Amino acid sequence: NSFHDGKGHLVIRAVRSSDGKYISARLKTLGKFSVKYGKVKARLRVPYGQGIWPAFWMLGVDIEKVDWPNCGEIDVMENIGKEPGIVHGSLHGPGYSGNTPLTAQYALKGGARFADDFHVFGVEWEPKRIRFFVDGDEYYRVTPNMLPAGTKWVYDHPFFLLLNVAVGGDWPGSPDTTTTFPQEMLVDWVRVWERP
């Protein structure tokens, strides 16, 4: 479910098996690569369709010690298939996770879909500020003073990267008769500029 297409792209493919189960892939750099502060970007073409949930995101490397959401989560890009022209950027941490993250959305103009072309999704991460971008446009900025009262900023340690295409779940809902398979996310590149 993950492979190179021979044209310079990494492909993450979601399929429906003959017994009706959905199979996909999640790639992660835990134990191989992490970053603390800097720019993290990926040029992606996302899939589409009801119940399809592509994401480019980051988790704290201490997840196995402190568990989620205490490790922190930075969702550089999430898209749910029923919103083909909208992506979400979010932070999940202790006291602001699951259905209550710090989050914003970016919408394409004129009814365009993110599945129609490649787009660059990124964050610029500093000690007390995380900014979210689509194609170079900043659409969200989060600082510690925006956290809910009594909660903690947990973005001051290394994070690893993840790329995946999920199928179903509470937020996107299940695939329906309009959803076609296979669905593919194409990854042109992932780039990280670590802050010295």
Side-chain angles (χ1 to χ4, degrees):
N1 296 97
S2 62
F3 57 92
H4 289 276
D5 66 0
K7 301 174 186 174
H9 305 122
L10 170 68
V11 180
I12 300 176
R13 177 180 284 170
V15 298
R16 182 169 34 212
S17 66
S18 58
D19 62 0
K21 294 181 180 175
Y22 301 105
I23 305 165
S24 188
R26 179 172 69 179
L27 308 181
K28 59 185 182 177
T29 67
L30 180 62
K32 295 177 172 56
F33 175 82
S34 63
V35 59
K36 177 184 175 184
Y37 307 138
K39 297 179 185 179
V40 179
K41 298 182 181 182
R43 186 171 186 263
L44 311 170
R45 193 179 82 194
V46 302
Y48 65 93
Q50 170 59 38
I52 305 300
W53 187 1
F56 172 43
W57 50 306
M58 304 164 65
L59 286 169
V61 297
D62 58 348
I63 188 168
E64 294 172 354
K65 294 179 184 173
V66 302
D67 212 351
W68 183 89
N70 297 313
C71 65
E73 176 178 327
I74 302 170
D75 295 323
V76 182
M77 180 283 300
E78 289 184 286
N79 168 259
I80 55 174
K82 63 186 174 188
E83 299 175 346
I86 297 172
V87 292
H88 300 260
S90 308
L91 297 182
H92 296 260
Y96 51 100
S97 63
N99 294 331
T100 59
L102 299 173
T103 189
Q105 61 185 34
Y106 180 95
L108 292 173
K109 294 180 175 46
R113 304 182 313 171
F114 279 99
D116 294 335
D117 203 353
F118 283 91
H119 294 273
V120 177
F121 306 98
V123 293
E124 295 189 10
W125 174 23
E126 301 170 53
K128 298 294 180 186
R129 181 173 68 179
I130 300 174
R131 296 183 294 153
F132 293 79
F133 295 84
V134 173
D135 296 328
D137 294 332
E138 180 182 334
Y139 70 96
Y140 191 37
R141 179 182 301 208
V142 185
T143 59
N145 64 359
M146 297 167 67
L147 296 179
T151 64
K152 186 166 88 169
W153 183 260
V154 290
Y155 310 97
D156 53 4
H157 61 281
F159 277 59
F160 65 95
L161 311 182
L162 302 100
L163 285 160
N164 68 277
V165 177
V167 180
D170 290 340
W171 188 26
S174 297
D176 62 19
T177 57
T178 67
T179 312
T180 60
F181 287 92
Q183 288 288 332
E184 296 178 342
M185 178 160 68
L186 300 184
V187 183
D188 189 24
W189 48 255
V190 176
R191 296 176 182 163
V192 176
W193 296 261
E194 191 162 19
R195 181 176 167 154

